[in-house]
Amino acid sequence: MNKTEDEKSAKQLENRATLFSREHCFNKDWILQSNKQEQINYFICLYCKHVANSPIELNCIQHKQLTCPFIIGENCLNQFLKDNPNSCPVQSHNDCKYSQSKLAQVQIDDLQDLQAPTQEGEGNEKLIKELNDHLDNSCILKLLNCWYKSFGCDHTCSKQKLQEHLVSNLKVHFDLAVKFVESLKQTIQLHQDEIIQLKLQVESYKKKNEENLVLANENTELKKEIESKQKELLAKTHEMEKQKRESQQELLKLCADIGVMQKEFAEKEKQYHEKLIKLLEEKNEKLTPHTQQMPSKDEQKEDNKMLSLDTKHSPACTFDWCHSFKLLNTCYEHSKTVYNIQYSSIDGNRFLCSAADDGKVCVWNLDTNKQKQIFDGHSGCVYSAKFSPYHSNQNRPTICSASYDKTIRFWDIETAQQFQICEGHTSYVYGIQFSSFTGGKYLCSASHDDSIRLWDVETAKALHIFKGHSHNVWCVEFSPLQSNNKYSNSYGVIGGTGYTICSGSFDKTVRLWDIENKRQLVVFNEHQGFVRSVKYSRNETGIVDSNMICSASDDKTIRLWDIRTQKQSNSLKGHTDAVRAVDYVPFEDGNIICSGSTDNTIRFWDIRTNKQLHCITGNAEINSFEFIKFDQKTKNSTRNGCGYALCYGSGNGRIHFLE
């Protein structure tokens, strides 16, 4: 070795000795050869980034937000402060405090090989490499895994004992190998089964594709046939349109002639009406002393045990038939409020159905005065019950009912069995009504979920949901049958042009909906309380008219609305509590309205004069009139000269018949 090399080696040893002296921090690369990284993480000097020697801990208010203390070697700190007087090695600020960390010193002293070797560094690195090679390849103390580890044997031992382990556990290893092979076989079998299933699926898809190709070919032929039929239909349509135009021209001519006749008739009717009113007023003045005489208490008890009659009426009309109304019969089956009643004729006999708060639907034979059926399949209050005209046309007498249990159910009257159900509303179903057109094939329903639904009775499927009300929808009505509509008896369309639905809601509005276009048409919002009943009005000839709507409300009023002007035309006031029901008197000229209220009265009104004609007052047992209905008398009734009976449901659960 020459002089230059000796000087170089001496300088390296001097640097090494200096690096590992007690004045300087310890080389972390040397320490990591016998220690783990996580053992020295908290002892790294801030200045030289090696393991701190004589560790000093920084204590300063500026560092309180930091999660761990900072360590710096004593010599490195002196060197830093020499170069940066009165400063901090973490952040640039002054007045940092330092203190000896005895706990860190103890843990640093526990680290292995803090001192450097006394020999030259290169020789030590060589020795370490040789040591690692020995440990990895030739050391007899090295632990080896069993050759059958992949088969499940977890035994480890030295190289000398490995052969002994293999010989002594030969059977065990053989069993492990057999088990491993069996496992592989099962895995292979599973994969084979999956392959078979995939092949079957592929075959199925191929078969379906072949069937689809056949259907496609058939569809092509069918499409050609349809196109041919469409051309024929188009030609016939053109011909029909030509005939329609010719018919319309003739119709316009007839309408013009009818208009002239109607104008002449209206003038004559007005003159006659004025004369009639004058004569009636004169006659009424003569009869007034007699009409003010009240019957004796004995006569009241004998003639009418349930009602008292208020004989006040308008001077414009004697309304004599009202005074002949007497209680004919009472049905007692229901135990709670009767919400709805309806008449119907089946096989020449008169029937009535009723819905009540006790969850029952009852059917009564009015000709025999006997109950025919009771349906109690609903799980809550029943708000409405109607005879289904669609099923009657199919010779299957049926009751449809709506309930608190969110369903609409259909019941066979003869078998007393439920055979169909409409589900879709998310809350109670209040009112239901069958369409006047298409033989009652469509049904509309009002619900506590603020919506109105239109149903196909045949399929029990919802066709549309009308939304617009902001509160419970209590009642609905279909517009009346339009005799001049060519679709009125067709089963292929929903109503045809001009048909509407009218609804009353707890949002205090009456709304009109277009069935064909599925949109809201009009909103009437002058009521100050819940709307309980809506009816399309009757014209002067007594025929139901779709241009006017009548509504009853909890605000104690009955109001009439003109659809054409979209304004209120009349407001009838006189009830002292909520008006629950309203109906047109069927045997007058469309100008008389009957209303039932929780003030325990039924009142009759003349909408021409906006005056009350008559009042029927119930006793304390009746409590309230919840629903009223007029219909033709039963076969065995001859009391009343008007030809109709008045039926009403009351708050005490009873149904009363007046004739």
PDB file of all heavy atoms in Angstrom, residues 24-43:
ATOM      1  N   HIS A  24     -21.288  13.456  18.153  1.00  0.00           N
ATOM      2  CA  HIS A  24     -22.165  13.527  16.984  1.00  0.00           C
ATOM      3  C   HIS A  24     -23.301  12.500  17.094  1.00  0.00           C
ATOM      4  O   HIS A  24     -23.219  11.564  17.880  1.00  0.00           O
ATOM      5  CB  HIS A  24     -21.359  13.261  15.697  1.00  0.00           C
ATOM      6  CG  HIS A  24     -20.341  14.320  15.429  1.00  0.00           C
ATOM      7  ND1 HIS A  24     -20.639  15.538  14.859  1.00  0.00           N
ATOM      8  CD2 HIS A  24     -18.990  14.327  15.674  1.00  0.00           C
ATOM      9  CE1 HIS A  24     -19.522  16.253  14.756  1.00  0.00           C
ATOM     10  NE2 HIS A  24     -18.522  15.541  15.248  1.00  0.00           N
ATOM     11  N   CYS A  25     -24.367  12.721  16.260  1.00  0.00           N
ATOM     12  CA  CYS A  25     -25.496  11.774  16.249  1.00  0.00           C
ATOM     13  C   CYS A  25     -25.088  10.454  15.601  1.00  0.00           C
ATOM     14  O   CYS A  25     -24.095  10.380  14.869  1.00  0.00           O
ATOM     15  CB  CYS A  25     -26.682  12.392  15.484  1.00  0.00           C
ATOM     16  SG  CYS A  25     -27.370  13.842  16.303  1.00  0.00           S
ATOM     17  N   PHE A  26     -25.842   9.386  15.874  1.00  0.00           N
ATOM     18  CA  PHE A  26     -25.515   8.045  15.395  1.00  0.00           C
ATOM     19  C   PHE A  26     -26.026   7.844  13.975  1.00  0.00           C
ATOM     20  O   PHE A  26     -27.153   8.232  13.636  1.00  0.00           O
ATOM     21  CB  PHE A  26     -26.154   6.997  16.314  1.00  0.00           C
ATOM     22  CG  PHE A  26     -25.739   7.145  17.750  1.00  0.00           C
ATOM     23  CD1 PHE A  26     -26.655   7.555  18.700  1.00  0.00           C
ATOM     24  CD2 PHE A  26     -24.425   6.888  18.155  1.00  0.00           C
ATOM     25  CE1 PHE A  26     -26.295   7.706  20.021  1.00  0.00           C
ATOM     26  CE2 PHE A  26     -24.070   7.030  19.476  1.00  0.00           C
ATOM     27  CZ  PHE A  26     -25.000   7.446  20.420  1.00  0.00           C
ATOM     28  N   ASN A  27     -25.234   7.185  13.135  1.00  0.00           N
ATOM     29  CA  ASN A  27     -25.613   6.930  11.734  1.00  0.00           C
ATOM     30  C   ASN A  27     -26.810   5.966  11.699  1.00  0.00           C
ATOM     31  O   ASN A  27     -26.718   4.828  12.143  1.00  0.00           O
ATOM     32  CB  ASN A  27     -24.422   6.328  10.989  1.00  0.00           C
ATOM     33  CG  ASN A  27     -24.702   6.231   9.508  1.00  0.00           C
ATOM     34  OD1 ASN A  27     -25.643   5.564   9.088  1.00  0.00           O
ATOM     35  ND2 ASN A  27     -23.856   6.879   8.719  1.00  0.00           N
ATOM     36  N   LYS A  28     -27.921   6.456  11.143  1.00  0.00           N
ATOM     37  CA  LYS A  28     -29.135   5.626  11.151  1.00  0.00           C
ATOM     38  C   LYS A  28     -29.016   4.444  10.184  1.00  0.00           C
ATOM     39  O   LYS A  28     -29.649   3.401  10.396  1.00  0.00           O
ATOM     40  CB  LYS A  28     -30.366   6.466  10.810  1.00  0.00           C
ATOM     41  CG  LYS A  28     -30.448   6.923   9.373  1.00  0.00           C
ATOM     42  CD  LYS A  28     -31.762   7.643   9.113  1.00  0.00           C
ATOM     43  CE  LYS A  28     -31.866   8.075   7.661  1.00  0.00           C
ATOM     44  NZ  LYS A  28     -33.151   8.752   7.385  1.00  0.00           N
ATOM     45  N   ASP A  29     -28.221   4.571   9.107  1.00  0.00           N
ATOM     46  CA  ASP A  29     -28.077   3.457   8.155  1.00  0.00           C
ATOM     47  C   ASP A  29     -27.409   2.264   8.821  1.00  0.00           C
ATOM     48  O   ASP A  29     -27.772   1.109   8.578  1.00  0.00           O
ATOM     49  CB  ASP A  29     -27.269   3.914   6.944  1.00  0.00           C
ATOM     50  CG  ASP A  29     -27.993   4.988   6.151  1.00  0.00           C
ATOM     51  OD1 ASP A  29     -29.247   4.971   6.180  1.00  0.00           O
ATOM     52  OD2 ASP A  29     -27.339   5.818   5.515  1.00  0.00           O
ATOM     53  N   TRP A  30     -26.398   2.534   9.676  1.00  0.00           N
ATOM     54  CA  TRP A  30     -25.714   1.435  10.384  1.00  0.00           C
ATOM     55  C   TRP A  30     -26.662   0.818  11.428  1.00  0.00           C
ATOM     56  O   TRP A  30     -26.751  -0.401  11.552  1.00  0.00           O
ATOM     57  CB  TRP A  30     -24.445   1.980  11.055  1.00  0.00           C
ATOM     58  CG  TRP A  30     -23.817   0.964  11.982  1.00  0.00           C
ATOM     59  CD1 TRP A  30     -23.936   0.890  13.315  1.00  0.00           C
ATOM     60  CD2 TRP A  30     -23.016  -0.142  11.583  1.00  0.00           C
ATOM     61  NE1 TRP A  30     -23.265  -0.184  13.817  1.00  0.00           N
ATOM     62  CE2 TRP A  30     -22.666  -0.853  12.743  1.00  0.00           C
ATOM     63  CE3 TRP A  30     -22.537  -0.593  10.352  1.00  0.00           C
ATOM     64  CZ2 TRP A  30     -21.871  -1.981  12.708  1.00  0.00           C
ATOM     65  CZ3 TRP A  30     -21.739  -1.714  10.338  1.00  0.00           C
ATOM     66  CH2 TRP A  30     -21.416  -2.400  11.481  1.00  0.00           C
ATOM     67  N   ILE A  31     -27.429   1.691  12.125  1.00  0.00           N
ATOM     68  CA  ILE A  31     -28.322   1.189  13.181  1.00  0.00           C
ATOM     69  C   ILE A  31     -29.450   0.351  12.597  1.00  0.00           C
ATOM     70  O   ILE A  31     -29.891  -0.637  13.194  1.00  0.00           O
ATOM     71  CB  ILE A  31     -28.873   2.368  13.994  1.00  0.00           C
ATOM     72  CG1 ILE A  31     -27.728   3.048  14.750  1.00  0.00           C
ATOM     73  CG2 ILE A  31     -29.947   1.916  14.983  1.00  0.00           C
ATOM     74  CD1 ILE A  31     -28.137   4.294  15.477  1.00  0.00           C
ATOM     75  N   LEU A  32     -29.911   0.705  11.387  1.00  0.00           N
ATOM     76  CA  LEU A  32     -31.008  -0.044  10.761  1.00  0.00           C
ATOM     77  C   LEU A  32     -30.602  -1.452  10.369  1.00  0.00           C
ATOM     78  O   LEU A  32     -31.456  -2.282  10.056  1.00  0.00           O
ATOM     79  CB  LEU A  32     -31.542   0.711   9.542  1.00  0.00           C
ATOM     80  CG  LEU A  32     -32.405   1.937   9.844  1.00  0.00           C
ATOM     81  CD1 LEU A  32     -32.760   2.670   8.565  1.00  0.00           C
ATOM     82  CD2 LEU A  32     -33.666   1.521  10.596  1.00  0.00           C
ATOM     83  N   GLN A  33     -29.307  -1.752  10.356  1.00  0.00           N
ATOM     84  CA  GLN A  33     -28.885  -3.116  10.044  1.00  0.00           C
ATOM     85  C   GLN A  33     -29.249  -4.091  11.163  1.00  0.00           C
ATOM     86  O   GLN A  33     -29.391  -5.292  10.921  1.00  0.00           O
ATOM     87  CB  GLN A  33     -27.364  -3.143   9.798  1.00  0.00           C
ATOM     88  CG  GLN A  33     -26.944  -2.391   8.537  1.00  0.00           C
ATOM     89  CD  GLN A  33     -25.450  -2.478   8.282  1.00  0.00           C
ATOM     90  OE1 GLN A  33     -24.770  -3.310   8.894  1.00  0.00           O
ATOM     91  NE2 GLN A  33     -24.956  -1.633   7.397  1.00  0.00           N
ATOM     92  N   SER A  34     -29.427  -3.579  12.349  1.00  0.00           N
ATOM     93  CA  SER A  34     -29.791  -4.458  13.462  1.00  0.00           C
ATOM     94  C   SER A  34     -31.052  -3.987  14.194  1.00  0.00           C
ATOM     95  O   SER A  34     -31.402  -4.539  15.224  1.00  0.00           O
ATOM     96  CB  SER A  34     -28.622  -4.540  14.455  1.00  0.00           C
ATOM     97  OG  SER A  34     -28.250  -3.249  14.885  1.00  0.00           O
ATOM     98  N   ASN A  35     -31.731  -2.959  13.686  1.00  0.00           N
ATOM     99  CA  ASN A  35     -32.962  -2.464  14.275  1.00  0.00           C
ATOM    100  C   ASN A  35     -33.979  -2.160  13.165  1.00  0.00           C
ATOM    101  O   ASN A  35     -33.615  -2.000  11.994  1.00  0.00           O
ATOM    102  CB  ASN A  35     -32.710  -1.188  15.084  1.00  0.00           C
ATOM    103  CG  ASN A  35     -31.776  -1.419  16.262  1.00  0.00           C
ATOM    104  OD1 ASN A  35     -32.187  -1.799  17.342  1.00  0.00           O
ATOM    105  ND2 ASN A  35     -30.470  -1.179  16.023  1.00  0.00           N
ATOM    106  N   LYS A  36     -35.232  -2.037  13.559  1.00  0.00           N
ATOM    107  CA  LYS A  36     -36.301  -1.740  12.608  1.00  0.00           C
ATOM    108  C   LYS A  36     -36.537  -0.234  12.513  1.00  0.00           C
ATOM    109  O   LYS A  36     -36.230   0.509  13.442  1.00  0.00           O
ATOM    110  CB  LYS A  36     -37.604  -2.432  13.047  1.00  0.00           C
ATOM    111  CG  LYS A  36     -37.499  -3.951  13.034  1.00  0.00           C
ATOM    112  CD  LYS A  36     -38.823  -4.573  13.455  1.00  0.00           C
ATOM    113  CE  LYS A  36     -38.709  -6.088  13.459  1.00  0.00           C
ATOM    114  NZ  LYS A  36     -39.973  -6.740  13.882  1.00  0.00           N
ATOM    115  N   GLN A  37     -37.109   0.172  11.397  1.00  0.00           N
ATOM    116  CA  GLN A  37     -37.336   1.597  11.140  1.00  0.00           C
ATOM    117  C   GLN A  37     -38.236   2.226  12.201  1.00  0.00           C
ATOM    118  O   GLN A  37     -37.990   3.344  12.657  1.00  0.00           O
ATOM    119  CB  GLN A  37     -37.973   1.778   9.746  1.00  0.00           C
ATOM    120  CG  GLN A  37     -38.285   3.224   9.372  1.00  0.00           C
ATOM    121  CD  GLN A  37     -37.036   4.065   9.142  1.00  0.00           C
ATOM    122  OE1 GLN A  37     -36.098   3.616   8.511  1.00  0.00           O
ATOM    123  NE2 GLN A  37     -37.017   5.277   9.689  1.00  0.00           N
ATOM    124  N   GLU A  38     -39.316   1.483  12.598  1.00  0.00           N
ATOM    125  CA  GLU A  38     -40.245   2.071  13.554  1.00  0.00           C
ATOM    126  C   GLU A  38     -39.620   2.288  14.928  1.00  0.00           C
ATOM    127  O   GLU A  38     -40.151   3.040  15.747  1.00  0.00           O
ATOM    128  CB  GLU A  38     -41.500   1.199  13.687  1.00  0.00           C
ATOM    129  CG  GLU A  38     -41.251  -0.241  14.058  1.00  0.00           C
ATOM    130  CD  GLU A  38     -41.138  -1.137  12.817  1.00  0.00           C
ATOM    131  OE1 GLU A  38     -40.835  -0.590  11.725  1.00  0.00           O
ATOM    132  OE2 GLU A  38     -41.353  -2.345  12.957  1.00  0.00           O
ATOM    133  N   GLN A  39     -38.446   1.610  15.199  1.00  0.00           N
ATOM    134  CA  GLN A  39     -37.789   1.793  16.490  1.00  0.00           C
ATOM    135  C   GLN A  39     -37.069   3.138  16.590  1.00  0.00           C
ATOM    136  O   GLN A  39     -36.785   3.609  17.690  1.00  0.00           O
ATOM    137  CB  GLN A  39     -36.795   0.650  16.742  1.00  0.00           C
ATOM    138  CG  GLN A  39     -37.475  -0.712  16.942  1.00  0.00           C
ATOM    139  CD  GLN A  39     -36.463  -1.823  17.136  1.00  0.00           C
ATOM    140  OE1 GLN A  39     -35.868  -2.297  16.178  1.00  0.00           O
ATOM    141  NE2 GLN A  39     -36.269  -2.198  18.393  1.00  0.00           N
ATOM    142  N   ILE A  40     -36.736   3.738  15.459  1.00  0.00           N
ATOM    143  CA  ILE A  40     -35.951   4.972  15.501  1.00  0.00           C
ATOM    144  C   ILE A  40     -36.742   6.178  15.000  1.00  0.00           C
ATOM    145  O   ILE A  40     -36.208   7.298  14.965  1.00  0.00           O
ATOM    146  CB  ILE A  40     -34.667   4.813  14.657  1.00  0.00           C
ATOM    147  CG1 ILE A  40     -35.037   4.690  13.175  1.00  0.00           C
ATOM    148  CG2 ILE A  40     -33.846   3.617  15.107  1.00  0.00           C
ATOM    149  CD1 ILE A  40     -33.818   4.730  12.256  1.00  0.00           C
ATOM    150  N   ASN A  41     -38.019   5.986  14.594  1.00  0.00           N
ATOM    151  CA  ASN A  41     -38.791   7.079  13.982  1.00  0.00           C
ATOM    152  C   ASN A  41     -38.874   8.319  14.869  1.00  0.00           C
ATOM    153  O   ASN A  41     -38.841   9.448  14.368  1.00  0.00           O
ATOM    154  CB  ASN A  41     -40.203   6.604  13.642  1.00  0.00           C
ATOM    155  CG  ASN A  41     -40.226   5.744  12.392  1.00  0.00           C
ATOM    156  OD1 ASN A  41     -39.300   5.783  11.583  1.00  0.00           O
ATOM    157  ND2 ASN A  41     -41.282   4.955  12.234  1.00  0.00           N
ATOM    158  N   TYR A  42     -39.009   8.119  16.194  1.00  0.00           N
ATOM    159  CA  TYR A  42     -39.214   9.246  17.097  1.00  0.00           C
ATOM    160  C   TYR A  42     -37.908   9.809  17.666  1.00  0.00           C
ATOM    161  O   TYR A  42     -37.953  10.687  18.525  1.00  0.00           O
ATOM    162  CB  TYR A  42     -40.132   8.827  18.249  1.00  0.00           C
ATOM    163  CG  TYR A  42     -41.477   8.388  17.783  1.00  0.00           C
ATOM    164  CD1 TYR A  42     -41.825   7.049  17.738  1.00  0.00           C
ATOM    165  CD2 TYR A  42     -42.402   9.344  17.342  1.00  0.00           C
ATOM    166  CE1 TYR A  42     -43.069   6.659  17.269  1.00  0.00           C
ATOM    167  CE2 TYR A  42     -43.649   8.953  16.885  1.00  0.00           C
ATOM    168  CZ  TYR A  42     -43.987   7.606  16.848  1.00  0.00           C
ATOM    169  OH  TYR A  42     -45.214   7.219  16.395  1.00  0.00           O
ATOM    170  N   PHE A  43     -36.768   9.305  17.178  1.00  0.00           N
ATOM    171  CA  PHE A  43     -35.466   9.751  17.716  1.00  0.00           C
ATOM    172  C   PHE A  43     -34.586  10.353  16.637  1.00  0.00           C
ATOM    173  O   PHE A  43     -33.369  10.415  16.771  1.00  0.00           O
ATOM    174  CB  PHE A  43     -34.743   8.577  18.381  1.00  0.00           C
ATOM    175  CG  PHE A  43     -35.612   7.796  19.329  1.00  0.00           C
ATOM    176  CD1 PHE A  43     -35.787   6.418  19.197  1.00  0.00           C
ATOM    177  CD2 PHE A  43     -36.292   8.450  20.355  1.00  0.00           C
ATOM    178  CE1 PHE A  43     -36.600   5.716  20.055  1.00  0.00           C
ATOM    179  CE2 PHE A  43     -37.105   7.743  21.211  1.00  0.00           C
ATOM    180  CZ  PHE A  43     -37.270   6.382  21.072  1.00  0.00           C
TER     181      PHE A  43
END
